[in-house]
Amino acid sequence: MQQKQRAAWRERLYVIIFEADTRAGQWFDICLLVAILLSVGAVSIETVEGLTQQQQDLLNAIEWGFTILFTIEYVLRLLSVRRPLNYAFSFYGIVDLISVLPTYFTPISGSRSFAVVRSFRLLRVFRIMKLIHLTSESEELARAVWSARSKIIVFLTVVLITVTISGTAMYEIERIASPADTGLPIETQFTSIPQSIYWAIVTMTTVGYGDIVPQTTPGKFVSALLILVGYSLIIVPTGFVSAEFVDLKKAAKTSNQTCPYCMAEGHLRDAEYCRKCGKPLESNESLGAT
Amino acid sequence: MQQKQRAAWRERLYVIIFEADTRAGQWFDICLLVAILLSVGAVSIETVEGLTQQQQDLLNAIEWGFTILFTIEYVLRLLSVRRPLNYAFSFYGIVDLISVLPTYFTPISGSRSFAVVRSFRLLRVFRIMKLIHLTSESEELARAVWSARSKIIVFLTVVLITVTISGTAMYEIERIASPADTGLPIETQFTSIPQSIYWAIVTMTTVGYGDIVPQTTPGKFVSALLILVGYSLIIVPTGFVSAEFVDLKKAAKTSNQTCPYCMAEGHLRDAEYCRKCGKPLESNESLGAT
Amino acid sequence: MQQKQRAAWRERLYVIIFEADTRAGQWFDICLLVAILLSVGAVSIETVEGLTQQQQDLLNAIEWGFTILFTIEYVLRLLSVRRPLNYAFSFYGIVDLISVLPTYFTPISGSRSFAVVRSFRLLRVFRIMKLIHLTSESEELARAVWSARSKIIVFLTVVLITVTISGTAMYEIERIASPADTGLPIETQFTSIPQSIYWAIVTMTTVGYGDIVPQTTPGKFVSALLILVGYSLIIVPTGFVSAEFVDLKKAAKTSNQTCPYCMAEGHLRDAEYCRKCGKPLESNESLGAT
Amino acid sequence: MQQKQRAAWRERLYVIIFEADTRAGQWFDICLLVAILLSVGAVSIETVEGLTQQQQDLLNAIEWGFTILFTIEYVLRLLSVRRPLNYAFSFYGIVDLISVLPTYFTPISGSRSFAVVRSFRLLRVFRIMKLIHLTSESEELARAVWSARSKIIVFLTVVLITVTISGTAMYEIERIASPADTGLPIETQFTSIPQSIYWAIVTMTTVGYGDIVPQTTPGKFVSALLILVGYSLIIVPTGFVSAEFVDLKKAAKTSNQTCPYCMAEGHLRDAEYCRKCGKPLESNESLGAT
């Protein structure tokens, strides 16, 4: 009997913490979202120089407050699930744990470290997406990217080989060629091949920081070629992801039902009669509704 | 009787000011467009240094001239509409009001302030688009973006979480790692986490100012990774907006014939039988061919 | 009789100069292409500093040589067409004329001027595209861009209004806000509104020179927002041009013939029998061949 | 008899080295991939400054080790193929050869040269793609780019003509116009037309290094125009490559059934009669459903 009561209590906690269908569950998710954003904001602002001691103490207190809250939440999650170990070793279980751990280590290791680890708690925002019914959207996006994954691997391989070869080429060209305008030897910014590959990535993706630039005429020429290749290459993955989305959209529009009389396919989702022979279609939906 | 005459006068004013079907209405819109562009031009040029006193006086006079014109226009709009309050609190009513207000406050607050507020009068250009029959185009663009809004929210969430985590990571990496080439400690440009997040946004979107750049080898490595992720990510929203447009175009392609028996619409172009009632469709094309 | 002979001579010249179907016409176009590229190359290299007097004399001689060649070509074009005035005032007629004029004016006005006007001769390359059968490709590209022109106008209007408003906003923000890190007043790079609008264009299109960058925290924040808006905006025109191309491709694939027996449409271009009723289609091509 | 034995041995070697279907062949490819990446990594790291003599010796030893390995591999490839000359003059045969040659020349010519030639060995990675079944993906990508090649040539021609004309224009504008803000003569960064064309390419493709920037008001204006043109142009090739991919996907969708009477292929999925001979198609789906 008491066992059953505890189960009911655990069931209710589970619905609030893990689901977003009830009003309590929605409020829980909204509060959690706000808490995550505020705590990440506090960690960020803490690193800005020129804060007074008072401001630092406040931010420190906020960080500790949220950490204790997240710890309580983590314990409640462990209590409410049927198999705590399954949760603890799931992706979100690990994210939840490393959201709180770094703060407890700060007294030992110094106040500013682990900022990266703390920022991982932002990954928990994805879990809250179910709140605003964006799960299906995320899944559709993920599916399109996933079904284009082989092409993306091929594409990235082409990009990486291109940047390595052209980076190496630029390293040699800039060392050998004399500078374009002055005729005097200049100090090249292409100091090593890894540096030149970094330049090639920055250039080919059109980021173009300008911290490393070619200074010789042959270097500028090769650079212009690489830029034009990069400019042309970006259109390829865009094209195939577009095609994936067009395909997904079309699949979502036509039903996969077959006319039982003439075997015609490709009917619109809300069609009630076969567009080929005019006989009634027995829609899955109407069957399900009966 | 006089009441009726006033109504007719108001009606005529309304047609000129709010519509673009008559010749007078078209001329009004063209003059308004020119006036808006000239006044915004005057506000902009006023801020250029090295103007003579004479030039400044001229620009000032132009600004006052247009402000008085826009004020008269605002009053006429208020007079010509049936429900002045509805107009006054509509989007364009507020834009019209804040187009003229700042100039009247300049004698009090100094001559150059409120330039932003004044530039809001550019928003009135959208209203004039009906003049050149671009309203349907704008609506189609807006509809495609609107129907992809959930995916855009998911996409921006992914981008923001990625830039926050990688910005925080770079903040730590650049502080810890020793500089790549010299071995000497250098002054990092990643002074705080908000600064690093700003860098991550500038980098991931391929803007790449170059005011903040990684100076250490691990920093450059993480930076290159982030750039490649950003380069791959841009293709995702492009893909789904493309798919939306392809879809809208196809929707414009489905026949606009109506079933003569049940008035159902939205049949595929090659449908031979109504998808709602199963009776044969009399296609416009075959009727035309007979 | 002599009249007729002259006509035949003119006809032959016309075929060589204006068309690319004969062997002579193809050779003429190839020589012209090489001549155009070499002459533009000579004009470009002439401006490089550090050339010896000898090299400059050589480049000058090359330029004069090509100019005389192009002048002869222009005269021959005038002679070979039936209506010389129509040609002289056509687009390519004017381009051909301004390809040669600037060189004749150099002794009067100084050696380096008119370089832009000379570079217009590159536009003649488009005429040579018929040589390598790229005319239909160019037309298809032009048609897709043309059918999306209204949307491009709307899009550019949105971009221009956005950059004006955000440029003006940055001008004010950077003047008012104190610098982020030092607390000392700094010299803003946003010296005037036109300068700020230039920055906004450079930023929003992801060019990001880095010659003008925000130096205050609020400026960086607004800047990051503008970047994300620009990053999202680029996907819109890409999407609708993609949709136009998908549409053009589909139109090119299905013939617009109708089955004379059952009025079915949407047959593949090389279909010989109706895919609905199995009766033979009377293809336009076979009718034309009869 | 001995001849036959040797043939069997050669056959087995061929299957291991050139194919990836057997377990031995897969292991060979994985080892080769790792060896290629390690050797290119060694060549890259060798150029980093600040290495100790010991580290340089190690890297040198690694390079020699891999070169000897690749040489053995090259000889085995020559031995295992039926026609060694065909292999030796094929694309991969040449790549395999120039992967090993530069190292043997280093004692003669100095240790750091030929780094570019060595990096060509990365091209061998493409051969290993068959290992992870990415060959069909690469072929599909290549086919889409290939079928859009004419449009890409037209597009690149437009881009090159645009950058040449606008580069030349900027060269003249920046020389003539007085600087925007100070009124003093400044040193222009547009020192020659080739330099200005380089700037135009960097700008139009949105790379935007910032090493060369316009400093005069007219220069900034022309620059902003060029940027907006570049921003609009990138959408064109993206659009047509997208359309190619959508098309390829659809082609993959057309039914692969063959007419049982005339063996014609390429019917639409909903075709009921053969588009070549007009006889009824027996659809696989309906046969499967019976």
Side-chain angles (χ1 to χ4, degrees):
Chain A
M1 185 72 193
Q2 205 190 5
Q3 185 69 19
K4 210 174 176 182
Q5 226 173 13
R6 180 184 268 170
W9 166 82
R10 213 168 67 176
E11 185 66 27
R12 215 176 127 202
L13 198 66
Y14 182 86
V15 169
I16 292 172
I17 296 182
F18 281 92
E19 287 173 14
D21 299 327
T22 61
R23 183 149 287 257
Q26 284 176 10
W27 274 106
F28 179 82
D29 279 354
I30 291 168
C31 293
L32 191 60
L33 181 63
V34 172
I36 291 169
L37 296 181
L38 283 178
S39 71
V40 171
V43 170
S44 299
I45 294 166
E46 214 180 344
T47 63
V48 174
E49 279 175 43
L51 293 178
T52 63
Q53 188 59 40
Q54 208 181 353
Q55 286 169 321
Q56 281 185 353
D57 288 350
L58 178 68
L59 289 168
N60 208 15
I62 289 170
E63 173 63 11
W64 273 103
F66 282 122
T67 302
I68 289 163
L69 266 177
F70 293 151
T71 312
I72 294 168
E73 184 216 336
Y74 182 66
V75 172
L76 288 179
R77 279 183 193 269
L78 276 177
L79 287 177
S80 70
V81 292
R82 246 165 238 271
R83 300 183 177 185
L85 278 179
N86 275 17
Y87 162 69
F89 290 102
S90 71
F91 174 71
Y92 281 123
I94 292 165
V95 167
D96 289 346
L97 184 61
I98 63 178
S99 296
V100 297
L101 275 188
T103 315
Y104 293 114
F105 283 107
T106 41
I108 306 161
S109 64
S111 74
R112 265 175 185 166
S113 53
F114 304 121
V116 200
V117 187
R118 278 181 212 170
S119 72
F120 284 159
R121 63 180 66 155
L122 271 175
L123 294 173
R124 303 168 76 200
V125 170
F126 287 119
R127 183 157 54 187
I128 303 171
M129 276 188 171
K130 67 180 185 294
L131 174 68
I132 36 173
H133 305 291
L134 292 175
T135 317
S136 71
E137 306 293 334
S138 328
E139 276 166 13
E140 199 181 323
L141 278 177
R143 205 157 53 231
V145 173
W146 183 248
S147 58
R149 72 190 176 285
S150 314
K151 294 206 191 67
I152 290 174
I153 292 171
V154 173
F155 172 72
L156 280 181
T157 309
V158 173
V159 168
L160 287 174
I161 290 176
T162 310
V163 295
T164 308
I165 292 180
S166 53
T168 312
M170 281 299 285
Y171 169 74
E172 302 222 328
I173 289 168
E174 282 280 305
R175 291 180 81 85
I176 294 164
S178 65
D181 303 314
T182 60
L184 296 165
I186 46 146
E187 207 165 324
T188 178
Q189 295 170 318
F190 294 78
T191 51
S192 67
I193 291 180
Q195 172 99 337
S196 304
I197 292 171
Y198 165 73
W199 166 85
I201 291 173
V202 167
T203 296
M204 198 178 177
T205 54
T206 78
V207 171
Y209 283 133
D211 54 343
I212 308 166
V213 288
Q215 284 162 300
T216 66
T217 301
K220 280 173 182 172
F221 188 77
V222 171
S223 183
L225 280 183
L226 180 66
I227 288 170
L228 289 175
V229 169
Y231 192 56
S232 307
L233 263 187
I234 183 70
I235 68 184
V236 175
T238 312
F240 57 70
V241 174
S242 292
E244 292 296 331
F245 276 108
V246 169
D247 212 53
L248 280 177
K249 260 211 126 53
K250 199 186 291 164
K253 275 278 169 67
T254 53
S255 74
N256 53 6
Q257 60 186 342
T258 312
C259 170
Y261 301 96
C262 71
M263 296 299 160
E265 291 187 340
H267 306 288
L268 287 177
R269 270 199 180 281
D270 58 348
E272 287 159 21
Y273 290 91
C274 175
R275 66 196 178 92
K276 283 295 164 60
C277 69
K279 298 230 174 68
L281 295 169
E282 277 157 40
S283 130
N284 302 335
E285 286 84 2
S286 66
L287 285 174
T290 316
Chain B
M1 185 71 193
Q2 204 189 8
Q3 185 70 22
K4 209 175 177 181
Q5 226 173 11
R6 179 184 269 170
W9 166 82
R10 213 167 67 177
E11 184 67 26
R12 215 174 128 205
L13 197 67
Y14 180 86
V15 168
I16 293 172
I17 297 182
F18 281 92
E19 287 172 13
D21 299 326
T22 61
R23 184 149 286 256
Q26 283 177 10
W27 274 107
F28 179 82
D29 279 354
I30 291 168
C31 294
L32 191 60
L33 182 63
V34 171
I36 291 168
L37 297 181
L38 283 179
S39 71
V40 171
V43 171
S44 298
I45 294 166
E46 213 180 345
T47 63
V48 174
E49 278 175 43
L51 293 178
T52 63
Q53 189 59 40
Q54 209 179 353
Q55 286 170 321
Q56 281 186 351
D57 289 350
L58 179 67
L59 289 168
N60 208 15
I62 289 171
E63 172 63 11
W64 273 103
F66 282 122
T67 302
I68 289 162
L69 265 178
F70 292 151
T71 312
I72 294 167
E73 184 216 336
Y74 182 67
V75 172
L76 287 179
R77 280 184 192 271
L78 275 177
L79 287 177
S80 70
V81 291
R82 247 165 236 271
R83 300 185 179 182
L85 278 180
N86 275 17
Y87 163 69
F89 289 102
S90 72
F91 174 71
Y92 281 124
I94 293 165
V95 167
D96 289 346
L97 184 61
I98 64 178
S99 295
V100 296
L101 276 188
T103 315
Y104 293 113
F105 282 108
T106 41
I108 306 161
S109 63
S111 74
R112 265 176 185 164
S113 51
F114 303 122
V116 199
V117 186
R118 278 181 213 171
S119 73
F120 283 159
R121 63 180 66 154
L122 271 175
L123 294 173
R124 302 169 76 200
V125 170
F126 287 120
R127 183 157 55 187
I128 302 170
M129 277 189 170
K130 69 179 183 293
L131 175 68
I132 36 171
H133 305 292
L134 291 175
T135 318
S136 71
E137 306 292 335
S138 327
E139 275 166 12
E140 199 182 322
L141 278 177
R143 205 157 53 230
V145 173
W146 183 247
S147 58
R149 71 191 179 286
S150 314
K151 293 205 192 66
I152 290 173
I153 292 171
V154 172
F155 173 72
L156 281 181
T157 308
V158 172
V159 168
L160 287 175
I161 290 176
T162 310
V163 296
T164 308
I165 292 179
S166 53
T168 312
M170 282 299 285
Y171 169 74
E172 302 223 327
I173 288 167
E174 281 281 304
R175 291 180 80 86
I176 294 164
S178 66
D181 303 314
T182 60
L184 296 165
I186 45 145
E187 207 166 320
T188 178
Q189 295 170 318
F190 294 78
T191 51
S192 67
I193 291 180
Q195 172 99 337
S196 304
I197 292 171
Y198 165 74
W199 165 85
I201 290 173
V202 167
T203 296
M204 198 178 177
T205 54
T206 78
V207 172
Y209 283 134
D211 55 343
I212 309 167
V213 288
Q215 285 161 299
T216 65
T217 302
K220 280 173 182 170
F221 188 78
V222 170
S223 184
L225 280 183
L226 180 66
I227 288 169
L228 289 174
V229 168
Y231 191 56
S232 308
L233 264 187
I234 184 72
I235 68 184
V236 174
T238 312
F240 57 70
V241 173
S242 292
E244 291 296 332
F245 276 108
V246 169
D247 211 54
L248 280 176
K249 264 213 123 55
K250 200 187 290 162
K253 279 276 170 70
T254 58
S255 78
N256 52 7
Q257 60 185 343
T258 311
C259 170
Y261 301 96
C262 73
M263 296 299 165
E265 293 186 339
H267 306 287
L268 287 178
R269 270 198 179 278
D270 60 347
E272 287 158 22
Y273 292 91
C274 174
R275 66 196 176 91
K276 289 291 180 191
C277 69
K279 298 233 174 67
L281 293 171
E282 279 157 38
S283 135
N284 302 335
E285 285 84 2
S286 65
L287 283 175
T290 317
Chain C
M1 184 70 190
Q2 204 189 7
Q3 185 70 20
K4 210 175 176 180
Q5 227 173 12
R6 178 185 270 169
W9 166 82
R10 213 169 68 177
E11 184 66 27
R12 215 174 127 204
L13 197 67
Y14 181 85
V15 168
I16 293 171
I17 297 182
F18 281 92
E19 286 173 15
D21 299 328
T22 61
R23 184 150 287 257
Q26 283 176 11
W27 274 106
F28 179 82
D29 280 354
I30 290 168
C31 294
L32 192 60
L33 182 63
V34 171
I36 291 169
L37 296 181
L38 282 179
S39 71
V40 171
V43 171
S44 298
I45 293 165
E46 213 181 345
T47 63
V48 174
E49 279 174 44
L51 292 178
T52 64
Q53 189 58 40
Q54 208 179 353
Q55 287 170 321
Q56 280 185 352
D57 289 350
L58 178 68
L59 289 168
N60 208 15
I62 289 171
E63 173 63 11
W64 273 103
F66 282 122
T67 302
I68 289 161
L69 265 177
F70 293 151
T71 311
I72 294 167
E73 184 217 336
Y74 182 67
V75 172
L76 287 179
R77 279 183 192 270
L78 275 177
L79 287 177
S80 70
V81 290
R82 246 163 237 270
R83 303 186 176 182
L85 278 179
N86 275 16
Y87 162 70
F89 289 103
S90 71
F91 174 71
Y92 281 123
I94 293 165
V95 167
D96 288 346
L97 184 61
I98 62 178
S99 295
V100 296
L101 276 188
T103 314
Y104 293 112
F105 283 107
T106 41
I108 307 162
S109 63
S111 75
R112 265 177 185 163
S113 51
F114 303 120
V116 199
V117 187
R118 279 180 212 171
S119 72
F120 284 158
R121 62 179 68 153
L122 271 175
L123 295 173
R124 302 169 76 200
V125 170
F126 287 120
R127 182 157 55 187
I128 302 171
M129 277 190 170
K130 69 179 183 294
L131 175 68
I132 35 171
H133 305 292
L134 290 176
T135 318
S136 71
E137 305 294 334
S138 327
E139 276 166 12
E140 199 182 323
L141 277 177
R143 205 156 53 230
V145 174
W146 182 248
S147 59
R149 71 190 178 286
S150 315
K151 293 205 191 67
I152 290 174
I153 292 171
V154 172
F155 173 71
L156 281 181
T157 309
V158 172
V159 168
L160 287 174
I161 290 176
T162 310
V163 295
T164 308
I165 292 179
S166 52
T168 312
M170 281 299 285
Y171 169 73
E172 301 223 328
I173 288 166
E174 282 280 305
R175 291 179 80 86
I176 294 164
S178 66
D181 304 313
T182 59
L184 295 164
I186 46 146
E187 208 166 321
T188 179
Q189 296 170 319
F190 294 78
T191 50
S192 68
I193 290 179
Q195 171 99 337
S196 304
I197 292 172
Y198 166 74
W199 166 85
I201 291 173
V202 167
T203 296
M204 199 179 175
T205 54
T206 77
V207 171
Y209 283 134
D211 55 343
I212 308 166
V213 288
Q215 284 162 301
T216 65
T217 302
K220 281 174 181 171
F221 188 77
V222 170
S223 185
L225 280 182
L226 180 67
I227 289 169
L228 289 175
V229 168
Y231 192 55
S232 307
L233 265 186
I234 183 71
I235 68 183
V236 174
T238 311
F240 57 70
V241 174
S242 291
E244 292 296 332
F245 277 108
V246 170
D247 212 52
L248 280 176
K249 261 213 123 53
K250 199 186 293 164
K253 276 279 170 68
T254 54
S255 75
N256 52 7
Q257 60 187 341
T258 312
C259 171
Y261 301 96
C262 74
M263 297 300 164
E265 293 188 337
H267 306 288
L268 287 178
R269 270 198 180 281
D270 59 348
E272 286 159 22
Y273 290 91
C274 174
R275 67 194 176 94
K276 283 295 166 57
C277 68
K279 298 231 174 68
L281 293 171
E282 278 156 40
S283 131
N284 302 334
E285 285 84 5
S286 66
L287 283 175
T290 316
Chain D
M1 184 72 192
Q2 205 190 6
Q3 186 70 21
K4 209 175 176 181
Q5 226 172 12
R6 179 184 270 168
W9 165 81
R10 212 168 68 177
E11 184 66 28
R12 214 176 127 203
L13 198 66
Y14 181 86
V15 168
I16 293 172
I17 296 182
F18 281 92
E19 286 172 16
D21 299 327
T22 61
R23 184 148 287 255
Q26 284 176 11
W27 274 107
F28 179 81
D29 280 355
I30 290 169
C31 293
L32 192 60
L33 182 62
V34 171
I36 291 169
L37 297 181
L38 283 178
S39 71
V40 171
V43 171
S44 299
I45 292 166
E46 214 181 342
T47 64
V48 174
E49 280 175 42
L51 293 178
T52 63
Q53 189 58 41
Q54 208 180 353
Q55 287 170 321
Q56 281 184 354
D57 289 349
L58 179 67
L59 289 168
N60 207 15
I62 289 171
E63 173 63 11
W64 273 103
F66 282 122
T67 302
I68 290 162
L69 266 178
F70 293 151
T71 312
I72 295 168
E73 184 216 337
Y74 182 67
V75 172
L76 289 179
R77 280 183 192 270
L78 277 176
L79 288 177
S80 71
V81 291
R82 247 165 237 271
R83 303 184 176 184
L85 278 179
N86 275 17
Y87 162 69
F89 290 102
S90 71
F91 174 71
Y92 282 123
I94 293 165
V95 167
D96 289 346
L97 184 62
I98 63 178
S99 294
V100 296
L101 276 188
T103 314
Y104 293 114
F105 284 107
T106 41
I108 307 161
S109 64
S111 75
R112 266 177 185 164
S113 53
F114 303 121
V116 199
V117 187
R118 277 182 213 169
S119 72
F120 283 159
R121 62 179 67 153
L122 270 176
L123 294 172
R124 304 168 76 200
V125 170
F126 288 120
R127 182 157 55 187
I128 303 172
M129 276 190 171
K130 67 179 183 295
L131 175 68
I132 35 172
H133 306 291
L134 290 175
T135 318
S136 70
E137 305 293 334
S138 328
E139 277 166 12
E140 199 181 322
L141 278 177
R143 204 156 55 231
V145 173
W146 183 247
S147 58
R149 71 189 177 287
S150 315
K151 295 206 190 67
I152 289 174
I153 291 171
V154 173
F155 172 72
L156 280 181
T157 309
V158 173
V159 167
L160 287 175
I161 290 177
T162 309
V163 295
T164 308
I165 293 180
S166 52
T168 313
M170 280 299 286
Y171 169 73
E172 302 223 327
I173 288 167
E174 281 280 305
R175 291 179 80 85
I176 294 165
S178 65
D181 304 313
T182 60
L184 295 165
I186 46 146
E187 207 165 322
T188 179
Q189 296 170 318
F190 294 78
T191 51
S192 68
I193 290 180
Q195 171 99 338
S196 304
I197 292 170
Y198 166 73
W199 166 86
I201 291 173
V202 168
T203 296
M204 199 180 177
T205 55
T206 77
V207 171
Y209 282 134
D211 55 343
I212 308 166
V213 288
Q215 284 161 301
T216 65
T217 302
K220 282 175 181 170
F221 189 77
V222 170
S223 184
L225 281 183
L226 181 65
I227 288 169
L228 289 175
V229 169
Y231 191 55
S232 307
L233 264 187
I234 183 70
I235 68 182
V236 175
T238 312
F240 58 70
V241 174
S242 292
E244 291 297 331
F245 276 108
V246 169
D247 212 53
L248 280 177
K249 264 214 122 55
K250 202 186 289 164
K253 282 276 173 68
T254 58
S255 79
N256 53 6
Q257 60 186 342
T258 312
C259 171
Y261 301 96
C262 72
M263 296 300 163
E265 291 187 342
H267 306 288
L268 286 178
R269 271 200 178 277
D270 58 348
E272 288 158 21
Y273 291 91
C274 175
R275 66 199 177 89
K276 288 291 177 187
C277 68
K279 298 232 173 67
L281 295 169
E282 278 157 39
S283 135
N284 301 335
E285 285 85 0
S286 65
L287 285 173
T290 314

